[in-house]
Amino acid sequence: MYEIRFQDGSSRPVGTIFCIARNYVAHIEELNNSKPDMPVIFCKPITALNTAADIRLPAYSQDVHYETELVLQIGKGGRDIAEAEALSHIGGIAVGLDLTARDVQGKLQAKSWPWELAKGFEHAACVSEFVSADTIADWSYVNFSLHINDELRQEGDSRLMIFSIAEQIAFISRHFSLREGDLLFTGTPAGVGALTSGDHLHGELEGGLISMDWRVL
């Protein structure tokens, strides 16, 4: 069983890992992508989940990129969830990394093939410990950042999202049944880049409310 940990010492099983792509304008521009008119959804297999400090890169890629994101744990499932009720379905929040084999993704996109080989490898969904959703006072402004080798590489907040957290949950639930334990990676801001062996990463949410240190093997 794959589980996530909460800061209170409890653990929860994980279901589907949903991810949102192209949800920050500056990130779209840095990759020369087009702005979507609805949330772009993809999923990662449960075996991609990594709750540990070590990150192992896939041997078949020479260009794995970090993408720092707010990660939500669904605490109450549902289908066709109203946007006004969506935030009440969040059980917890963490800071995470959506790792992408960018060279592999480029080849797949050129053929109009799915992204799983580029997005679903083991350790491709890294998460910190979670805190209860009740800890967040204002979901319209949740900030996060990533330092690599003590250099700030990414920072963002939920105000910069094209599709808000509530919109994402409502949209996904119109197409899939959300279940308790599902995770949602909510998109990354600008500043993505390649990882190399020996890199030390430090992710923070809400000024240190949650923090996580990773090491690339």
Side-chain angles (χ1 to χ4, degrees), residues 23-24 70 157-165 168 186-187:
N23 199 30
Y24 289 79
L70 299 176
D157 64 70
S158 54
R159 295 177 305 175
L160 302 175
M161 293 178 174
I162 297 172
F163 304 103
S164 71
I165 289 171
Q168 293 175 52
T186 58

Side-chain angles (χ1 to χ4, degrees), residues 1-6 10-19 43-52 71-75 91-94 124-130 177-185:
M1 178 184 296
Y2 286 82
E3 296 182 325
I4 53 172
R5 298 186 301 270
F6 275 68
S10 64
S11 59
R12 316 282 170 82
V14 174
T16 302
I17 302 175
F18 293 99
C19 304
C43 295
K44 291 178 183 269
I46 189 64
T47 52
L49 183 68
N50 179 29
T51 60
V71 184
L72 310 178
Q73 184 255 2
I74 300 299
I93 185 170
C126 303
V127 294
S128 68
E129 288 185 330
F130 283 70
S177 292
L178 283 172
R179 300 171 297 167
E180 180 181 353
D182 288 346
L183 300 184
L184 173 57
F185 282 68

Side-chain angles (χ1 to χ4, degrees), residues 133-180:
D134 296 337
T135 310
I136 303 300
D138 182 5
W139 284 96
S140 68
Y141 180 65
V142 185
N143 61 80
F144 59 102
S145 63
L146 178 73
H147 286 75
I148 299 181
N149 303 325
D150 297 323
E151 177 186 348
L152 179 64
R153 296 292 185 86
Q154 285 190 284
E155 59 182 343
D157 64 70
S158 54
R159 295 177 305 175
L160 302 175
M161 293 178 174
I162 297 172
F163 304 103
S164 71
I165 289 171
E167 288 176 312
Q168 293 175 52
I169 293 171
F171 181 86
I172 292 173
S173 75
R174 290 200 295 271
H175 300 82
F176 307 94
S177 292
L178 283 172
R179 300 171 297 167
E180 180 181 353

Side-chain angles (χ1 to χ4, degrees), residues 87-110:
L87 297 180
S88 69
H89 287 257
I90 302 172
I93 185 170
V95 63
L97 301 171
D98 166 16
L99 299 187
T100 304
R102 194 71 72 196
D103 49 354
V104 176
Q105 185 186 41
K107 293 175 182 177
L108 295 171
Q109 289 177 322

Side-chain angles (χ1 to χ4, degrees), residues 9-123:
S10 64
S11 59
R12 316 282 170 82
V14 174
T16 302
I17 302 175
F18 293 99
C19 304
I20 302 293
R22 303 181 185 180
N23 199 30
Y24 289 79
V25 171
H27 174 58
I28 291 172
E29 292 174 347
E30 73 178 347
L31 294 185
N32 295 315
N33 289 324
S34 58
K35 184 178 178 180
D37 57 7
M38 65 179 186
V40 178
I41 300 172
F42 63 96
C43 295
K44 291 178 183 269
I46 189 64
T47 52
L49 183 68
N50 179 29
T51 60
D54 291 339
I55 296 174
R56 190 177 302 277
L57 304 180
Y60 59 80
S61 173
Q62 304 304 312
D63 190 26
V64 176
H65 282 207
Y66 57 85
E67 299 182 11
T68 317
E69 311 198 4
L70 299 176
V71 184
L72 310 178
Q73 184 255 2
I74 300 299
K76 179 175 66 174
R79 184 69 192 266
D80 294 320
I81 299 168
E83 189 175 320
E85 302 297 326
L87 297 180
S88 69
H89 287 257
I90 302 172
I93 185 170
V95 63
L97 301 171
D98 166 16
L99 299 187
T100 304
R102 194 71 72 196
D103 49 354
V104 176
Q105 185 186 41
K107 293 175 182 177
L108 295 171
Q109 289 177 322
K111 297 177 182 292
S112 298
W113 288 358
W115 292 353
E116 278 79 1
L117 290 178
K119 289 282 194 178
F121 52 87
E122 292 189 11
H123 291 196

